Every structure is written in C-alpha cells, then in structure tokens.
Amino acid sequence: MNRRNFLSLGSASAAIALLPAAKVKAASAHTPCSQLSELPAPPSPETTKRLFPGFVAGTVQTSGASINVLKGGEGPPLLLIHGHLETHVTWHKIAADLARNYSVIIPDLRGYGDSSKPDGGERQVNYSFRAMAQDQVETMRHFGYDRFFVAGHDRGARVAHRLCLDHPDNVLKVCLMDIAPTLTMYRDTNKDFATRYVWWFLQIQPFPMPEHIIGNDPEYYLKEHLAVQGKTPGAVTPEAMAEYLRCYCCTGTIHAACEDYRAAADIDLEMDEADDKAGRKVSAPLLALWGGKGVVGHLWDVLATWRAKAASVSGRALDCGHLLPEEQPAEVLAELQGFFRG
C-alpha cells in the first residue's frame, strides 16, 4: 500500500467517535487525514536562527538515513537527542548556553523532524534503537568526533541507551532523561502504566490502524500528548509548538513514529534481552534525570532500574513533568554542565 494514501482508509467518523463529545466539533474542523501531505513543509531558516543563534543547519547522509542536524559552539563534542512527537527544537532553551563550552550536535532522529523516513523493513528493524544509534555514531563521525558526551530525552534517551551498549568506546558520559529501561517498563506493565502511557500500546498496533486514528486529527493528538506529559503550562513555546506541528502532521512522520514504537515492543526487546543474558551493561558514567511530577518517577525507582543496567549511576528528580528540557531548562543546563565537566 502506498504510504502517501494509507490514511485515506475508512471514515473519519470512527476516530472522532473515540474523542470526548466536547472535542468532536474541533476535531471535525481539522484537515481530513486523506489530505495530509506525506512530508513536512520545508523548515524556515529564520526560525532556526531565532531558536538556535549561532548554529548551522545541515544534512548528514548515514548508511541508513538522511539526518537533519544543527551544529554550534566549540569545545568537547556533545550530542543531544530529542524524543517522540518532538524534534531537535526540544533543546532550544539550553542549546546556546551549552555551545559556550561544547561543540553541540543536535539531530532529528530518523523518521522525525526533517530527517528522512525510510521504510521500516522486516520487524521494523530500520526503526530499532540500534539503527537510530548507528545514525548518531555516523553523524558524529561526519563532524570528526569519535568520542563524545550524550544527552537524550524520551525516545532519544532510549537511542542513547542502545548507543552506549553497541558503541561503548564512543560514549564518554551519558545523561538519560525521564525514562526507565524499555524492557523493564514493558515487563512491569500494569493498568496504571497502560492508562497513562496509552500511546505505547496504541502505536504498536499493526499498520494502518494507529496511523489512521492519529491521522484524523494529528494536531489534537500531538497537543494533547504534550499537555498530558508536561506539568508546566506554557513550557512548550508557541514557536516550538509550531515546529512540532509542522513536522508531525504528515503521513510520513506519523507512520515512522508508529514504526519506532512497533520496533520498541518487538525487535528492541529481543536485543535488550540478549544484552541482559550476556551481562552487558552501560560502562559510561550515567546520569538519570526525571520529572518528579511525571509517570516514570511515580511508577519506578528510576535509579534502581538504571543501576541494574549500568556500572555507574547518579541522578535525581526535577520539579516538573516529562518535558525536562522545556519545563526546567535552567536545572537541566546546570545538571549537564556539572556532570559533563566533572
């Protein structure tokens, strides 16, 4: 089936019926899923200059994808990896400050933002955290960096976890934001977690059902998702939200995001289980940060989950929800500077 047309299946009324009554009128007013473009509209250079002063945008061709990336600053190399629904823009509040002391590389994950959206392949292997981690190594190598610091949020933190396991010699230190290990979270799934993280279970369903449901009103899905995850009103600025909407509200990104989640519930778990069986752990010093008002810290002892997976772990909760770099940028900045400098 052609991806360009996959969201034209069925009637929008089925998905709208799933929404609360108060949302139906608003949902009906949005662009029908069959009319979504396949790819995001081109980015605005002016927006990049405003959000990331001093950074230069470019594209790196890896062995599996075309990666949109920003580079700025001077000093030791630091890779920042964003999470689900968002793009590299999630780092805009702290990037310029970090660039005073680091050479900062900020990509869009494959499938997200303005990076390419390759076919998922068998068992969605091309959206496995292994494939996305390989993109990061090749992107950093493109800029001449073989060893570097890494900070990842949400899906980006899961990519960073896999990066540490598959490429231990490349990672100096790693900061993982608001996650527990993927295998741990799926093994511990209960009603509370399934209710709060519904997208973990919607987006792993076979194509095209989740794509069709999300595609009927992707703006509502994205905004509601971020509103539920974040606990600091206004933390996502209007300009950042506009960028998230530009990049997410198209069939290519919606499908890629679902392929990411399908891989995480299948082939990624197999890789994690193999690492556990072999006794492989993260060897780089690991800083875990999480939102004290969020789901992960409420349902898991975050430090304990990572001490089972890594040799050296420190960290703490911040006074916010899930969106740490946007809800608590000053604290995140201070934590990263202290950790990577120490």
Side-chain angles (χ1 to χ4, degrees):
M1 184 180 299
N2 190 312
R3 267 189 213 159
R4 187 186 301 273
N5 297 321
F6 72 75
L7 290 175
S8 63
L9 298 173
S11 167
S13 61
I16 291 174
L18 299 176
L19 301 177
K23 302 291 185 179
V24 171
K25 183 176 180 181
S28 302
H30 288 285
T31 302
C33 56
S34 59
Q35 296 179 25
L36 291 176
S37 63
E38 181 178 14
L39 297 174
S44 163
E46 290 73 24
T47 298
T48 297
K49 289 178 182 178
R50 285 194 300 273
L51 295 178
F52 295 91
F55 281 74
V56 176
T59 302
V60 174
Q61 186 64 49
T62 71
S63 55
S66 178
I67 301 299
N68 179 62
V69 62
L70 301 186
K71 182 179 186 297
E74 294 183 0
L78 169 58
L79 172 66
L80 302 178
I81 316 176
H82 71 88
H84 174 243
L85 285 172
E86 299 188 309
T87 70
H88 68 274
V89 169
T90 194
W91 304 105
H92 75 99
K93 293 182 180 180
I94 64 173
D97 287 320
L98 286 169
R100 294 191 178 99
N101 302 108
Y102 300 93
S103 296
V104 182
I105 308 298
I106 318 179
D108 287 333
L109 290 168
R110 65 165 65 188
Y112 292 87
D114 293 301
S115 290
S116 66
K117 289 124 180 70
D119 182 81
E122 186 176 356
R123 296 178 66 194
Q124 291 76 42
V125 65
N126 294 327
Y127 285 93
S128 66
F129 295 131
R130 173 163 289 164
M132 290 193 270
Q134 184 66 35
D135 286 337
Q136 311 313 309
V137 170
E138 293 181 27
T139 295
M140 295 302 280
R141 189 174 297 142
H142 169 85
F143 291 109
Y145 305 128
D146 288 322
R147 287 173 61 78
F148 44 86
F149 298 116
V150 185
H153 173 248
D154 187 78
R155 307 308 279 185
R158 301 187 190 284
V159 173
H161 180 204
R162 175 49 55 190
L163 175 59
C164 289
L165 292 169
D166 286 0
H167 307 277
D169 293 338
N170 295 102
V171 180
L172 295 167
K173 292 184 178 182
V174 61
C175 175
L176 307 180
M177 298 187 197
D178 211 59
I179 67 165
T182 311
L183 181 59
T184 301
M185 292 176 72
Y186 268 121
R187 281 180 172 170
D188 292 350
T189 292
N190 57 21
K191 180 178 180 292
D192 196 2
F193 175 58
T195 300
R196 297 190 190 201
Y197 265 42
V198 63
W199 48 91
W200 271 47
F201 305 94
L202 169 63
Q203 292 182 198
I204 67 175
Q205 299 304 313
F207 169 87
M209 186 269 281
E211 286 92 337
H212 181 64
I213 290 175
I214 296 166
N216 272 298
D217 196 346
E219 179 176 348
Y220 170 80
Y221 187 78
L222 183 148
K223 287 183 174 179
E224 188 71 8
H225 186 117
L226 294 180
V228 167
Q229 290 273 74
K231 304 300 179 185
T232 309
V236 179
T237 67
E239 196 160 32
M241 182 66 78
E243 277 297 284
Y244 299 152
L245 291 170
R246 176 183 69 82
C247 291
Y248 186 75
C249 295
C250 60
T251 62
T253 304
I254 293 168
H255 180 60
C258 290
E259 294 286 82
D260 169 14
Y261 276 75
R262 291 179 184 121
D266 180 20
I267 197 167
D268 283 319
L269 297 184
E270 187 175 280
M271 295 176 191
D272 290 345
E273 288 167 349
D275 287 326
D276 281 358
K277 185 175 180 179
R280 281 188 289 270
K281 294 188 175 185
V282 174
S283 58
L286 187 155
L287 174 68
L289 301 175
W290 64 97
K293 300 176 182 177
V295 173
V296 173
H298 175 74
L299 296 180
W300 282 275
D301 180 336
V302 179
L303 292 180
T305 69
W306 286 111
R307 284 172 178 151
K309 305 288 185 179
S312 174
V313 178
S314 60
R316 69 182 183 93
L318 304 186
D319 185 23
C320 61
H322 176 65
L323 309 176
L324 276 68
E326 291 167 287
E327 292 186 69
Q328 286 287 0
E331 286 199 51
V332 169
L333 178 65
E335 288 287 342
L336 293 183
Q337 290 175 326
F339 177 60
F340 294 136
R341 187 169 55 238

